[in-house]
Amino acid sequence: MPDNLTITELLRCNKCGYCQSTCPTYAITLDEANVARGRNALAGALQDGDLESLEALRGPFFDCLLCGACTEACFSAVRTDEIMVRAREAFHEQHGQPFVQRFIFRRLLGHPERLAALLRLAGTGKRTGLSRLFRRLGLLRWINATLEGAEGLVEAVPRHFLRDRLQEVGFRRHRIGRGEELVLPREEGAPLGPRVAYFIGCGTNFQEPRTGEAAIRLLARSGCEVIALPNVCCGLPPYSYGDLDAARELARKNLEMLRRTDAEYIVTDCGSCSRFLKGYAELLEGDPGVAEVAAKVRDWTEVLVDRPLPPPVRSWEGVVTYHDPCHLGRGQGIREAPRRLLTEAAGATLVELPEADWCCGGAGSYNLSHPEMSLAILRRKLDNVAQTGAQTVATACPACLIQLAYGLRRDDSPMQTRHVAEIVAHAQGIELTED
Ligand code: SF4
Ligand code: SF4
């Protein structure tokens, strides 16, 4: 790992062990190799060339959630998540990357139309029961274990993704120079607000389109003019798995397009996307315009909380509790905005969730790559959720929504999960498109 960041970060770890109390994987395994101190020691040994083979490090390096809880508890704020990303990159350099994973990162994520076609196929399989049959016959596992996990994780695949619904939501094509853009004007009578470029995250587009519609329509209601960006995946999935080349390729594709937007803010309703987009300045250091683009990025909750909205016209039934997504709460320090949106903009009754910022185990696609560990981490979250007596768990990240909904389904719980945007949209009397 000949990387300055890794060396500097590793040197700052004084082996105090404070991170033990906050690491979700250590809480499950009580294994020193599964906590920041141990992981950093192993990365240090690798750095010094003290290890002959990387194979023994697969578990410690890849079992990390990249949740950042250790960094928050650490006096030196050692960025173990970043060290693990570099360690994974080193691992792939020696062992290679699984074919399907590499194919997804390098051939699919940069082409939303290919991804959409595949997911439509998966949706048909799910609706007709074919995929369940394939799963029972072991065919999905034969193709890829991750595919088998994905089939069970989501209840349904939407018939219409968010990009398919943009016209219905009210976006219109405007010519600009030799190109065109999709624009949703601010609502009639709304106060004059900024022009915002809406970045469509993969989770929102393909799995939670109602969240996206709610977020967009609320921006327009609060006076923003919204442009729907023709973006590709932000690059976080390949980055997390240590494929930094694929992550940079996706980021550069987006950067080229984002540099041309004249919007005041670049906004997304996925806490992971907003954090990763803000980090483009570090990922693509030296690329022209990257610092300016990264400085424009805002999480949707950050923008909406400061925009005026009419008073709520109806209330959300029952009590709501809120789960802090790692990349939003810890990653960006955004904890108050979603809570204020729930209580002030939606008038909801909010009860605090114990350990609200403890990772839910979703961690992007960790629930697919590490189903058992992910479920064990989720158990703690679900037990905390049950303690609140709430009827709804709100959050602000599609990956957390999927994970929480999966856990509640497994528990046969009557509780529901919702993105903050959907709860505020409901309070505002906004009717969302049915699937
Ligand atoms: S990562 Fe931080 S908290 Fe953990 S052992 Fe190192 S210095 Fe201590
Ligand atoms: S990032 Fe999370 S899972 Fe990884 S070592 Fe730190 S606390 Fe543990």
Side-chain angles (χ1 to χ4, degrees):
M1 295 186 295
D3 185 287
N4 285 341
L5 179 141
T6 318
I7 298 168
T8 322
E9 289 303 300
L10 284 174
L11 285 175
R12 292 193 309 113
C13 175
N14 60 23
K15 304 182 176 44
C16 66
Y18 266 63
C19 42
Q20 281 188 341
S21 61
T22 57
C23 177
T25 57
Y26 183 75
I28 302 292
T29 62
L30 297 179
D31 177 358
E32 180 65 18
N34 268 325
V35 68
R37 180 171 63 179
R39 287 180 167 126
N40 290 339
L42 291 168
L46 177 66
Q47 178 89 51
D48 298 341
D50 289 350
L51 293 164
E52 286 202 349
S53 161
L54 273 175
E55 188 52 42
L57 304 181
R58 187 191 291 271
F61 288 172
F62 283 89
D63 291 355
C64 172
L65 295 149
L66 311 181
C67 69
C70 49
T71 309
E72 202 176 44
C74 171
F75 285 115
S76 314
V78 175
R79 293 164 67 187
T80 300
D81 54 343
E82 297 293 336
I83 296 171
M84 288 302 107
V85 167
R86 299 308 198 283
R88 290 171 187 185
E89 188 182 33
F91 190 91
H92 292 320
E93 273 163 17
Q94 188 168 319
H95 287 267
Q97 194 177 174
F99 171 77
V100 174
Q101 188 175 302
R102 189 180 162 92
F103 179 81
I104 292 172
F105 294 160
R106 298 187 177 214
R107 296 278 174 266
L108 278 185
L109 294 186
H111 303 273
E113 68 297 338
R114 292 183 194 164
L115 208 50
L118 260 179
L119 289 169
R120 275 194 194 98
L121 201 66
T124 309
K126 191 100 185 142
R127 277 187 288 278
T128 55
L130 254 187
S131 56
R132 205 170 36 227
L133 179 67
F134 280 11
R135 180 152 62 119
R136 283 204 185 128
L137 293 175
L139 283 176
L140 290 182
R141 174 160 285 273
W142 181 69
I143 301 170
N144 184 269
T146 307
L147 213 62
E148 185 187 57
E151 203 282 332
L153 189 67
V154 297
E155 195 173 22
V157 178
R159 278 173 205 273
H160 303 289
F161 303 136
L162 180 60
R163 282 199 190 278
D164 306 330
R165 304 177 185 207
L166 294 177
Q167 303 267 349
E168 216 176 321
V169 172
F171 281 91
R172 296 293 172 257
R173 291 184 189 285
H174 285 193
R175 289 212 69 77
I176 43 154
R178 270 185 271 164
E180 59 176 24
E181 62 184 11
L182 277 171
V183 181
L184 178 71
R186 55 184 61 86
E187 266 192 21
E188 237 180 272
L192 195 64
R195 192 161 208 254
V196 301
Y198 177 76
F199 184 97
I200 305 180
C202 302
T204 305
N205 186 30
F206 295 121
Q207 192 55 41
E208 302 290 336
R210 282 168 65 87
T211 291
E213 183 182 348
I216 288 166
R217 292 183 61 184
L218 285 163
L219 286 169
R221 176 156 296 186
S222 76
C224 299
E225 184 182 50
V226 188
I227 308 160
L229 288 169
N231 60 277
V232 298
C233 165
C234 66
L236 177 59
Y239 182 83
S240 304
Y241 282 84
D243 189 344
L244 269 68
D245 288 341
R248 287 198 190 95
E249 200 178 316
L250 291 166
R252 287 212 167 93
K253 223 170 172 173
N254 283 324
L255 177 63
E256 202 183 310
M257 175 271 300
L258 293 171
R259 272 172 35 199
R260 290 196 297 269
T261 181
D262 62 354
E264 197 171 320
Y265 300 125
I266 296 158
V267 181
T268 173
D269 48 44
C270 167
S272 294
C273 292
S274 54
R275 185 191 183 214
F276 197 67
L277 289 167
K278 286 178 182 179
Y280 271 12
E282 194 176 7
L283 182 71
L284 300 180
E285 196 181 352
D287 277 26
V290 70
E292 292 76 6
V293 164
K296 281 185 177 186
V297 177
R298 299 284 185 280
D299 189 75
W300 172 85
T301 54
E302 271 180 290
V303 173
L304 199 76
V305 78
D306 287 333
R307 298 294 313 149
L309 280 174
V313 294
R314 57 188 177 187
S315 56
W316 189 259
E317 209 173 299
V319 173
V320 179
T321 193
Y322 177 74
H323 159 71
D324 284 290
C326 298
H327 290 157
L328 189 67
R330 241 186 326 275
Q332 300 178 62
I334 301 173
R335 295 181 165 103
E336 196 192 324
R339 287 174 170 82
R340 275 184 52 204
L341 284 168
L342 287 170
T343 52
E344 294 170 19
T349 308
L350 181 71
V351 60
E352 268 306 318
L353 174 65
E355 300 183 329
D357 65 353
W358 192 267
C359 179
C360 64
S365 58
Y366 190 90
N367 40 17
L368 298 176
S369 57
H370 295 74
E372 281 167 22
M373 180 83 88
S374 169
L375 269 180
I377 295 167
L378 177 60
R379 182 71 268 150
R380 180 163 173 157
K381 177 63 63 181
L382 293 172
D383 290 346
N384 277 326
V385 161
Q387 266 189 53
T388 63
Q391 284 74 46
T392 304
V393 195
T395 189
C397 172
C400 301
L401 274 178
I402 294 169
Q403 173 81 342
L404 292 167
Y406 174 58
L408 292 171
R409 262 199 328 276
R410 280 178 64 98
D411 277 5
D412 277 328
S413 166
M415 286 180 82
Q416 49 180 342
T417 49
R418 288 287 186 280
H419 191 286
V420 174
E422 265 200 73
I423 296 178
V424 180
H426 173 88
Q428 286 289 316
I430 294 174
E431 300 300 341
L432 301 172
T433 314
E434 286 307 320
D435 187 32

